[in-house]
Amino acid sequence: MKPLNIVVIGAVAGGATVSSQLRRFLPDANITVIGKDSRMGFATCGMPYVLGGLVESMDSLVSVTPELFRDKKSIDVRLRHEATEIDRPGKKVIVRDLDSGETEALPYDKLVLSPGGSARTPEIPGSPSIPVFTLRHFDDMAEFENYLERTHPQRGLVIGGGFIGVELAENFRQLGIHTELVEHHGRIMPISDPDMSGLLEQEMKENGVVLHLGREVRSVTGDRVCLDDGSEFRADFIAAAVGLVPNTELAEEAGLTIGPTGGIATDPFMRTSDPDIYAIGDAAEGRDWFTGKPKRVPLAWSTHREAFIAANHIAGGNTEMDGLLGTSITKLFSLTAGMTGMSEQMLKEENMAFKTIIHESRSNAGYFPGNGKLRLKIHYDPDTRLILGAQAVGEKGADKRIDIIATAIRGRMTMDDLAAIEIAYSPAYSSPKDPVNMAGYKSMDRPGNRTDGK
């Protein structure tokens, strides 16, 4: 059989992973990877920590190189190249060298789209004299880091209170920068429940971040920022973290179906509306674990899983992408905040009946040094008692509990099962009845009854 010609568009997390998996499954395939950035396979999630100095070098975020892929995997990686057109009838991709301007047509049998997304840049009325930064590409980080090291700014404005916004605010405070954060929602981390967001807001205030919640930037004149409530303050720079726009232009121009979330529509094997073209990562649309409705989760775990699914299917496998929980976690000063599955707002929007259990405790034995506060919140179906979602905020151990519950959801376990999970115990790590166990016990309103048929 003639070796497959496979072209991968995008060389960051999804593109690097899918090409590696393809080589593992298809040792004879001809694989070419096209990337617009100056680096490949870099860890975008680590960028705020490079700026804050917790990660010493931005080069630490680069795990692979084109030379490594060429020498170890026989994969042709072309950085600083852009795919400008997909010729579906001719099964060719038109690629332009961004440095020389030369173009080339690359034939493909299978094409994988991993174009990622572009950072949204908010419109800032007025006449600002201060720089506005976004953090999406490797060169964005390099430019931002250079500015911080060269000018040593004293005051910064963060626009956006999601994952990247709060992480940037923390890292600016670590640098001693007076930081003000503007979020148009009435709370930070609006994806989580209000009471859990409140814990994070308090942590930010205690660490010197000035919050402007439910507010918008009205104008910036010089270095003077004016909000829509009339308040004003100075800033030396603006860091915008207001989400991303999936890069679907190439797919749209090729006539591929775009789903209701704005991502490239895919089937459970990550195939687009063209069976020879696959889409993965931030620009791809999957489906929700609970509802089966279209869902786009621009996070690293889902990208890597989708990369495996696509490579496996191209190689003849039939493993499906069976739904996304949106499991996520972030560090914020002394706290960790994690979640999986449905939030209160999501459940209400879907008109799904649910009950909620909240358990507040220490992360491990209270007498053991280094224990921390932990708040665990779980939503579940009142009839089947299946777990619908969970959130945890704490000084220690939030990650462990969210990971256990994400596993329990995929295993279709009930609240009763949470009480029965035999969790490893030592005073340094847990309690004889772990917070996960306790949440299960607290949900039982009748002695010894089960409703899951086991």
Side-chain angles (χ1 to χ4, degrees):
M1 181 181 293
K2 179 183 175 183
L4 288 175
N5 286 321
I6 304 173
V7 176
V8 177
I9 297 176
V12 190
T17 299
V18 75
S19 56
S20 291
Q21 296 283 2
L22 284 164
R23 173 56 72 226
R24 186 164 66 91
F25 291 135
L26 299 169
D28 297 326
N30 300 311
I31 304 171
T32 304
V33 181
I34 305 300
K36 292 173 63 176
D37 282 288
S38 60
R39 303 287 195 283
M40 70 173 296
F42 55 87
T44 55
C45 299
M47 290 182 176
Y49 304 103
V50 171
L51 299 180
L54 186 62
V55 177
E56 291 187 4
S57 169
M58 60 184 180
D59 289 329
S60 301
L61 305 185
V62 181
S63 59
V64 293
T65 64
E67 293 76 20
L68 178 66
F69 266 43
R70 179 193 64 210
D71 297 341
K72 301 293 186 181
K73 302 175 185 287
S74 297
I75 295 174
D76 181 11
V77 179
R78 305 184 189 185
L79 299 182
R80 297 284 301 152
H81 282 66
E82 180 181 17
T84 60
E85 180 186 348
I86 300 172
D87 175 2
R88 288 173 56 194
K91 301 194 77 171
K92 295 179 293 186
V93 178
I94 309 303
V95 176
R96 179 166 62 93
D97 185 320
L98 294 176
D99 295 322
S100 70
E102 296 178 355
T103 61
E104 180 182 0
L106 299 179
Y108 70 84
D109 297 304
K110 300 293 181 181
L111 175 63
V112 181
L113 304 180
S114 183
S118 299
R120 296 180 186 273
T121 302
E123 293 187 13
I124 301 176
S127 52
S129 64
I130 56 177
V132 179
F133 295 98
T134 57
L135 202 61
R136 184 64 187 169
H137 301 287
F138 190 88
D139 293 338
D140 296 338
M141 176 181 59
E143 181 184 3
F144 204 163
E145 184 184 44
N146 178 265
Y147 167 81
L148 294 172
E149 293 179 347
R150 178 171 44 85
T151 66
H152 302 289
Q154 300 300 304
R155 305 174 67 88
L157 165 62
V158 177
I159 302 178
F163 287 103
I164 300 299
V166 300
E167 290 169 359
L168 284 172
E170 175 188 6
N171 281 280
F172 295 153
R173 290 299 298 135
Q174 299 290 355
L175 294 173
I177 298 172
H178 175 81
T179 304
E180 311 217 19
L181 185 147
V182 175
E183 167 57 55
H184 70 93
H185 285 95
R187 53 195 175 90
I188 65 166
M189 297 295 287
I191 193 173
S192 58
D193 292 348
D195 55 322
M196 308 301 268
S197 293
L199 298 175
L200 304 180
E201 291 166 12
Q202 185 61 35
E203 178 75 0
M204 296 187 80
K205 292 175 183 177
E206 290 176 357
N207 283 276
V209 180
V210 180
L211 298 177
H212 303 275
L213 304 178
R215 301 268 67 89
E216 303 267 3
V217 175
R218 177 182 292 168
S219 65
V220 180
T221 304
D223 66 352
R224 179 69 59 177
V225 179
C226 179
L227 303 185
D228 58 359
D229 64 350
S231 60
E232 296 186 2
F233 54 89
R234 287 182 51 251
D236 298 322
F237 68 89
I238 298 173
V242 292
L244 63 85
V245 180
N247 293 331
T248 59
E249 296 88 351
L250 194 64
E252 291 182 62
E253 291 169 1
L256 300 179
T257 300
I258 305 300
T261 70
I264 304 167
T266 63
D267 69 6
F269 303 113
M270 305 313 300
R271 288 181 300 191
T272 68
S273 51
D274 184 322
D276 290 322
I277 302 178
Y278 295 70
I280 62 175
D282 295 350
E285 178 180 271
R287 58 194 176 97
D288 184 79
W289 169 267
F290 296 100
T291 67
K293 294 181 178 180
K295 184 171 186 171
R296 191 168 55 83
V297 178
L299 294 173
W301 184 91
S302 52
T303 295
H304 286 275
R305 179 61 177 168
E306 290 163 2
F308 167 80
I309 296 294
N312 183 69
H313 191 259
I314 290 172
N318 62 359
T319 304
E320 296 187 4
M321 192 75 186
D322 54 5
L324 293 162
L325 292 176
T327 306
S328 58
I329 197 160
T330 191
K331 173 188 176 299
L332 185 60
F333 298 104
S334 69
L335 295 182
T336 298
M339 71 175 295
T340 188
M342 308 284 274
S343 66
E344 286 179 1
Q345 181 177 341
M346 295 173 189
L347 289 163
K348 290 175 181 176
E349 288 174 352
E350 293 294 334
N351 293 316
M352 295 172 66
F354 68 96
K355 284 187 175 181
T356 301
I357 286 294
I358 297 174
H359 180 67
E360 295 181 336
S361 65
R362 310 301 293 187
S363 59
N364 51 293
Y367 59 81
F368 195 89
N371 70 84
K373 294 179 181 178
L374 179 68
R375 178 183 174 91
L376 178 62
K377 184 176 187 180
I378 304 176
H379 304 303
Y380 64 97
D381 185 298
D383 296 322
T384 66
R385 296 178 60 75
L386 289 168
I387 305 159
L388 300 175
Q391 297 173 41
V393 174
E395 298 168 329
K396 184 180 177 183
D399 55 338
K400 172 180 178 177
R401 277 71 188 199
I402 288 299
D403 287 343
I404 290 172
I405 296 171
T407 304
I409 292 174
R410 283 199 57 88
R412 293 179 169 82
M413 298 171 70
T414 68
M415 293 298 290
D416 306 88
D417 292 315
L418 291 188
I421 295 176
E422 191 173 344
I423 296 173
Y425 163 64
S426 168
Y429 300 103
S430 183
S431 301
K433 290 193 293 289
D434 188 86
V436 170
N437 298 139
M438 287 302 302
Y441 284 125
K442 289 175 73 171
S443 73
M444 298 178 184
D445 55 4
R446 297 183 301 276
N449 289 338
R450 293 190 67 114
T451 58
D452 58 359
K454 293 184 180 178

